[in-house]
Amino acid sequence: MALAFRLQKSPMPGFGLGMGITLAMLSLIVILPVGALLARGISYGPEAVWATINTPRVWAALYLSFRLAFLAALFNLVFGTLLAWVLARYDFPGRRLVDALVDLPFALPTAVAGIALTALYAPNGIFGGIARDLGGKIAYTQWGILIALIFVGLPFVTRTVQPVIAEIEQEVEEASATLGAGRFHTLRRVILPMLLPAALTGFALSLARAVGEYGSVIFIAGNLPMKTEIAPLLIVIKLEEFDYDGAAAIGIAMLLISFSMLLAINLIQIWSRRRIGHV
Amino acid sequence: MFDDALHPTPATAGRPAKWRPATEESRLTRILLIAAALGGLAILVVAPLAVVFAEALARGAAQAVTSLTRPEATSAIRLTLIVAAISVPVNAVFGIAAAWTITKFDFRGKAFLITLIDLPFSISPVVAGLALVLLFGTNSLIGGWLVASGFPIIFALPGIVLASIFVTFPFVARELIPVMIEQGRAEEEAALTLGASGWRAFLTVTLPNIKWALLYGVLLCNARAMGEFGAVAVVSGKIRGQTATMPITIEMLYNEYLSVAAFSLAAVLAALGLLTLALKTLLEWRHADQLAAGRRH
């Protein structure tokens, strides 16, 4: 690795120290632990890892985690873009306060969000009560998990899209209008394509966050095997049973799936930037 | 790109009664969009925040305050402060070192290095905790030796600190890198030419340039370190009074149906979160030009 990071000539001092601290920390915090996880999987054996993953309960949990994370990120893509547009373009009383509030899900610890959402959406809570009167149930179902995942990923799309909207030149919209496009047409054919790469970045961040989310979900999920049991919870359960091999197998599966998803989204992003051009 | 926009709409048909610029939505559309944004935000974000304080005060302020003086609450608050006090400075030093290395030098593998630094963002906190357990747990090679020499990491403070550093790892570096790229190297090079030592150039030229971005990154890092749940839940062992941080204690109290106690502790964390948000917003208003927030996309 030292060879890979070989320095080109520079008059600036501190390369050795800076690179030393960076690599030492990176190794201790990230590379060695992740390496230990992969090594555990290798020593457990690929067949055994596959046998652990290939059970109905693990498949159900993985499918649930990724499906709901995708739906939550999709919701955040639409609502986050709307929010970014409103905050960047319109003026209304309290706009700066609302702008600051968007980041609240980043500042509120997940366990706090978890019990707060449960209190709201449980049958005796405010929103849960409304749902109960209508004959539905939110907390302790997949809807509850979805709401928690929407909460934790909410700011990502808004924060990536908002600066791009602020940078759009008014002339582009004027040109479109001059050429006879209606406002909706301009938004759909001119503005939205410009926002797409940034929105996809936000979508990817929101998705990555939601897939691995644990703290805000376990309180509201009800945690029924096969129904509302998320993949990270399954790892915790395996660990509590001292089944380190099983936990490592599920952990590796989650790592691989989220990396391949991020890779796919990065490729889509490169494609969309190339097609539309960088703003 | 504009080909499809070339179908002209008849200029006379459907002309609005009141003139508006062609680059604005109609008044009704604007009001509807603002209402949708505010309504969504109120339900999704403001309601959960409000319910934390409402539940904490459900049986009066006195009981909420009393519940915070329980020994498990005070020890949790102390532990969380200790964890943040260690992991945030460590992360700040790492962030500065990484940003300095990445922005002041050209070397092969830089993109790969940045990817590695960003990696913790795409790893589930629970998987991070699991990885630390597998590396440092009692039945691992390193962990067994460490426990034998009286320095256990898992189910003890060092594990909680490592987990907190893991989940906050990219925060400071990601905030500093864009800012330092934009500032370039000329000022440091001038200082060095004039005979300043490397440290002096860093302390008197670089640090004043990045101080607000550094503070911004440290704020985000601190908020996450104090509130981390998933990774800490796995490595801490949840030993009451010893390795239970504030979020872990909230879970314990909640599962024991001690609602007021759980929500009171949660309200303290929520208040810390609001304080973080206020300071962060203040920084954005005052020093937007020296932060990365507006450039990251």
Side-chain angles (χ1 to χ4, degrees), chain A residues 4-6 8 12-13 18 22 26 29 82 90 96 103 118 151 154 163 170 183 185 189 212 215 239 247 262, chain B residues 4 23 25 30 33 44-45 98 100-101 105-109 122 124 130-131 166 169 229 234 254 280 285 294:
Chain A
F5 297 133
R6 195 170 39 198
Q8 293 172 16
M12 206 75 79
T22 306
L26 204 55
I29 304 291
L82 166 80
Y90 303 154
R96 291 176 82 168
D103 278 336
T118 311
F151 179 86
L154 188 72
Q170 191 95 42
R183 185 62 185 155
H185 206 88
R189 307 288 310 193
L239 276 175
L262 281 181
Chain B
D4 288 278
T23 52
E25 289 79 55
R30 267 184 293 168
L33 288 179
L44 290 170
V45 175
W100 177 269
T101 312
F105 301 96
D106 298 306
F107 53 90
R108 274 197 323 195
S122 43
S124 168
L130 167 69
F166 185 101
F169 201 59
F229 181 75
V234 172
Y254 185 83
K280 179 175 136 344
W285 289 358

Side-chain angles (χ1 to χ4, degrees), chain A residues 166-232:
Chain A
E167 271 174 30
I168 293 177
E169 309 271 348
Q170 191 95 42
E171 284 82 354
V172 183
E173 290 165 68
E174 285 169 2
S176 168
T178 315
L179 292 170
R183 185 62 185 155
F184 178 73
H185 206 88
T186 306
L187 284 180
R188 199 172 70 85
R189 307 288 310 193
V190 180
I191 306 279
L192 271 188
M194 286 206 252
L195 305 184
L196 194 63
L200 280 177
T201 307
F203 176 82
L205 291 170
S206 174
L207 182 67
R209 178 71 204 265
V211 163
E213 180 56 24
Y214 175 71
S216 60
V217 174
I218 51 157
F219 296 99
I220 203 169
N223 305 328
L224 288 171
M226 308 293 296
K227 288 207 178 81
T228 55
E229 191 175 59
I230 54 167

Side-chain angles (χ1 to χ4, degrees), chain A:
Chain A
M1 190 168 283
L3 205 74
F5 297 133
R6 195 170 39 198
L7 177 71
Q8 293 172 16
K9 260 189 197 145
S10 164
M12 206 75 79
F15 180 76
L17 182 65
M19 187 59 107
I21 295 175
T22 306
L23 287 185
M25 286 285 293
L26 204 55
S27 307
L28 177 69
I29 304 291
V30 182
I31 298 173
L32 282 176
V34 173
L37 173 64
L38 297 177
R40 185 84 185 202
I42 292 168
S43 74
Y44 188 38
E47 290 91 28
V49 168
W50 176 247
T52 308
I53 296 166
N54 198 14
T55 57
R57 189 175 172 187
V58 175
W59 275 129
L62 284 172
Y63 179 60
L64 180 77
S65 275
F66 285 93
R67 185 168 52 94
L68 291 181
F70 185 81
L71 290 176
L74 212 58
F75 175 90
N76 283 334
L77 179 67
V78 176
F79 183 68
T81 308
L82 166 80
L83 204 56
W85 181 261
V86 167
L87 287 173
R89 281 300 174 91
Y90 303 154
D91 209 14
F92 53 92
R95 188 182 61 84
R96 291 176 82 168
L97 181 71
V98 174
D99 197 1
L101 267 181
V102 171
D103 278 336
L104 191 70
F106 285 165
L108 205 62
T110 53
V112 177
I115 61 171
L117 290 171
T118 311
L120 276 179
Y121 290 97
N124 56 356
I126 303 171
F127 298 145
I130 299 173
R132 188 196 51 208
D133 294 340
L134 297 171
K137 198 175 164 195
I138 302 175
Y140 318 123
T141 70
Q142 297 189 1
W143 289 106
I145 303 177
L146 185 66
I147 286 170
L149 295 182
I150 288 173
F151 179 86
V152 295
L154 188 72
F156 286 110
V157 175
T158 306
R159 286 303 172 235
T160 47
V161 170
Q162 206 176 342
V164 182
I165 295 178
E167 271 174 30
I168 293 177
E169 309 271 348
Q170 191 95 42
E171 284 82 354
V172 183
E173 290 165 68
E174 285 169 2
S176 168
T178 315
L179 292 170
R183 185 62 185 155
F184 178 73
H185 206 88
T186 306
L187 284 180
R188 199 172 70 85
R189 307 288 310 193
V190 180
I191 306 279
L192 271 188
M194 286 206 252
L195 305 184
L196 194 63
L200 280 177
T201 307
F203 176 82
L205 291 170
S206 174
L207 182 67
R209 178 71 204 265
V211 163
E213 180 56 24
Y214 175 71
S216 60
V217 174
I218 51 157
F219 296 99
I220 203 169
N223 305 328
L224 288 171
M226 308 293 296
K227 288 207 178 81
T228 55
E229 191 175 59
I230 54 167
L233 177 66
L234 222 46
I235 296 178
V236 173
I237 292 174
K238 294 268 183 208
L239 276 175
E240 279 167 359
E241 295 164 352
F242 300 104
D243 180 6
Y244 290 109
D245 290 324
I250 302 169
I252 289 170
M254 283 191 67
L255 268 188
L256 292 181
I257 301 177
S258 29
F259 285 163
S260 39
M261 272 195 332
L262 281 181
L263 187 70
I265 288 164
N266 271 331
L267 292 177
I268 294 174
Q269 228 175 339
I270 292 169
W271 168 81
S272 74
R273 272 189 208 281
R274 196 167 292 159
R275 201 174 77 95
I276 295 150
H278 188 63
V279 182

